[in-house]
Amino acid sequence: MIRLRRMSSLKSDLYRKFFLLKEMVVRDLKSRYAGSGLGVLWAFASPILWMVVYTMVFSGILRVPSPPGYASFPEFLLAGLLPWMAVQEGVSRSATALTDNAAMVKKTVFPIEMLVFSAVLAAVANQLIAFAIFAAYLAVIGHLALPWVLLVLPALAVQIALTFGLGCFVATAATFVRDVVPVVGIALTVVFYATPVVYPADLVPGRLRFLIEANPFAHLTAWYRDAFTLHQMPEAASIIYATIFAAAVLAAGAALFRRARPHFADLI
């Protein structure tokens, strides 16, 4: 009887957290586009504008070639750029998630980890909208294969785990040291150019290949490209590395966040 009550209480608690998380993500998305002329259409326009800019610069001006198997540079670009934009947004917004919501942090009953998680999921929601546009583009050029697109689901799970773990790290660090926020922006820019998003990995000199191999975002980028365009299974070693790395970052980030949690209200 006691065990049944505990299970019922656990289910109720999980439901409340899920409902709260959903409401926070919806509120975030609504507030983001409130007052703008295009409103939610910016979620569709933004990836298209970035695609045009990066294509003009890297394909039109710098003449970065599209690797074999891709019909165009935008096809190569978007499979890596859209996930990266979600990661960048999720991590950067996590850095200020606690300080921007001081009133909620000071409520002892509020699960403040939801502030970080909702920032990550709101970015993923925009990513999924952009993925729909990308899928339509692939359908037009004849490169869309829905069974292979299912590979996106495990890649997305690994991405969310990695982003949330990093978000816990930067949220905790930024609460103690406010200078962490601009450092996070610089670090994300460095990682972006160290990841083969706007250029093929084959262009990286052999002496620097270890940087690509050690970069979990490079493995995620390849994973998405395998699913959307190349229609092949990612290398097993790549999947294992990205998954283990994300799990380790998630566990370490969550542990640090829990340990520092009693001090957040005093520091904000």
Side-chain angles (χ1 to χ4, degrees), residues 156-182:
L156 192 62
V158 171
Q159 175 194 322
I160 291 173
L162 180 57
T163 308
F164 180 60
L166 291 173
C168 288
F169 268 117
V170 298
T172 302
T175 304
F176 285 86
V177 182
R178 300 303 168 86
D179 291 338
V180 166
V181 176

Side-chain angles (χ1 to χ4, degrees), residues 210-229:
F210 73 95
L211 294 176
I212 300 297
E213 297 299 328
N215 183 352
F217 297 109
H219 293 274
L220 270 175
T221 298
W223 196 339
Y224 280 114
R225 284 175 174 150
D226 287 337
F228 273 117
T229 304

Side-chain angles (χ1 to χ4, degrees), residues 122-143:
V124 170
N126 277 330
Q127 176 187 346
L128 293 177
I129 294 174
F131 270 171
I133 301 172
F134 183 40
Y137 172 74
L138 292 177
V140 169
I141 64 176
H143 275 197

Side-chain angles (χ1 to χ4, degrees), residues 25-38:
V25 171
V26 171
R27 184 196 66 175
D28 184 287
L29 293 174
K30 286 183 177 179
S31 63
R32 183 177 308 188
Y33 303 111
S36 63
L38 292 179

